[in-house]
Amino acid sequence: EASRRRQDSSVPMAKSKAPAAKPQQLTIAKKMASTRKPGQVARGQPRKLAAPKPQQVSQGAGAGGHTIMLLQETKNLATRTWSEHPTLRQALDYFVSSYERQLKALNPQARELSYTVEDLHVYIDSMADLSALIFAPATKHYMPRNKTYLKQQLLLQLQSAAR
């Protein structure tokens, strides 16, 4: 009997065909479809979603919430750093103060340091990478921003500080 069981278990079972839908079932499905309200979707049917409304993100220097600054000074990956700040304005202030610290380190005898916005732009362009992730409360996600955007925002912030 044991050998007989092994032989029986190795034989594939014949596949049974599912019974065809009865005409009565089809008429019920048609009635349900005809009684559906506009916009109501039957089970298993894909829903048509309305296109999301575009969100406007403020472009001001103080815009955005939490900001993560990512910077890499040279092509050496070991120079990658990041810092986080409550706002873009504070992130840009931090960036400018770090630039000023570097100027002081390069010119320890100088009593007074002066630089222009163009000097800051050259410094930004000399970096291997500089970007920011700025939290947009309206969309609840972080918006990536590149060097060009950060230079524009830095210029706006310095202009507003000069007034």
Side-chain angles (χ1 to χ4, degrees):
E1 270 187 58
S3 64
R4 187 183 273 169
R5 283 186 206 152
R6 283 188 210 134
Q7 287 175 350
D8 290 344
S9 64
S10 65
V11 176
M13 295 180 64
K15 294 182 181 177
S16 63
K17 292 185 179 178
K22 295 179 183 175
Q24 185 180 23
Q25 288 176 333
L26 291 176
T27 56
I28 292 172
K30 285 182 182 177
K31 283 182 184 177
M32 289 176 65
S34 65
T35 59
R36 218 176 292 131
K37 296 176 186 172
Q40 186 179 10
V41 179
R43 285 187 185 173
Q45 297 292 323
R47 294 180 182 212
K48 291 183 181 179
L49 299 176
K53 294 178 183 177
Q55 301 288 333
Q56 287 187 338
V57 177
S58 175
Q59 298 296 315
H66 186 251
T67 301
I68 302 170
M69 288 279 276
L70 308 167
L71 81 101
Q72 181 177 342
E73 292 183 17
T74 66
K75 291 183 180 183
N76 183 356
L77 296 180
T79 63
R80 284 184 175 174
T81 59
W82 62 274
S83 60
E84 60 181 316
H85 310 275
T87 64
L88 176 60
R89 178 177 298 278
Q90 290 174 339
L92 293 174
D93 285 341
Y94 173 79
F95 179 78
V96 170
S97 66
S98 67
Y99 174 68
E100 290 172 352
R101 280 193 303 274
Q102 283 192 346
L103 283 179
K104 288 177 186 176
L106 292 172
N107 304 301
Q109 282 78 24
R111 292 183 185 202
E112 196 174 289
L113 295 172
S114 63
Y115 58 89
T116 64
V117 173
E118 184 62 32
D119 294 333
L120 276 170
H121 286 191
V122 169
Y123 175 65
I124 291 171
D125 290 333
S126 72
M127 294 187 157
D129 187 26
L130 176 66
S131 56
L133 299 171
I134 304 168
F135 185 72
T139 57
K140 294 186 171 57
H141 73 280
Y142 283 86
M143 306 272 301
R145 299 297 184 183
N146 60 13
K147 286 181 184 182
T148 305
Y149 177 84
L150 294 173
K151 287 195 293 189
Q152 291 169 349
Q153 295 306 306
L154 187 60
L155 178 62
L156 289 174
Q157 184 169 324
L158 293 173
Q159 286 174 341
S160 69
R163 291 182 190 153

